[in-house]
Amino acid sequence: MGFFEKLKNGLSKTKTAIVGKIDSLFKKFRKVDEELFDELEELLICADIGVETTEEILDELRENVKENKIREPEDVKAALMEMLREMIGEHEPLNLSTKPSVILVIGVNGVGKTTSIGKIS
């Protein structure tokens, strides 16, 4: 198995872990309330999203829920996933033309982020 295949598999594990936890969270709730947002906040912070980014995500999500009168947890989940896709920029190529270039590496604990960073370096 080549380097990029291992990297792809590691990122896939991260995606599966985070998306699985989000799925479980939204299945647990029957209504959209502050408790849902509190648990989502905890989940995002534990997924190493960071406090500031988590707050930005939740503020924007709350505003989206209010503006669009979203009442179902599954609809909140869909809005969240769309926000995350927009933030990450799915399938956008790396722009390494700037000097220095910065690459953000995200993932849950134990998926090989540090090892991958060392290999890329």
Side-chain angles (χ1 to χ4, degrees):
M1 180 182 295
F3 167 71
F4 288 107
E5 189 65 29
K6 287 181 183 177
L7 184 61
K8 185 177 176 181
N9 288 341
L11 292 173
S12 177
K13 288 179 192 175
T14 298
K15 178 183 173 185
T16 302
I18 292 173
V19 171
K21 289 178 183 178
I22 289 173
D23 283 340
S24 296
L25 173 71
F26 282 99
K27 286 178 184 174
K28 195 166 96 171
F29 284 89
R30 298 276 180 238
K31 63 180 181 171
V32 178
D33 58 9
E34 197 55 37
E35 187 178 346
L36 173 98
F37 286 104
D38 289 344
E39 289 202 31
L40 180 58
E41 178 180 25
E42 183 179 338
L43 187 152
L44 293 173
I45 291 172
C46 288
D48 291 333
I49 301 294
V51 174
E52 187 175 316
T53 304
T54 296
E55 287 175 0
E56 288 175 22
I57 290 169
L58 291 174
D59 288 346
E60 188 175 329
L61 187 60
R62 280 186 178 100
E63 187 176 313
N64 188 346
V65 165
K66 187 176 181 177
E67 282 178 10
N68 296 308
K69 296 178 174 65
I70 297 174
R71 301 287 177 244
E72 296 298 320
E74 280 300 312
D75 294 334
V76 176
K77 180 180 126 185
L80 171 66
M81 298 310 273
E82 182 58 33
M83 283 175 49
L84 294 177
R85 276 189 209 96
E86 287 175 14
M87 289 178 77
I88 293 171
E90 196 170 352
H91 303 295
E92 290 184 23
L94 288 177
N95 177 5
L96 301 176
S97 62
T98 60
K99 300 293 181 202
S101 294
V102 177
I103 301 171
L104 173 66
V105 179
I106 60 173
V108 296
N109 293 338
V111 295
K113 295 180 300 293
T114 305
T115 301
S116 296
I117 291 166
K119 289 179 180 179
I120 291 169
S121 298

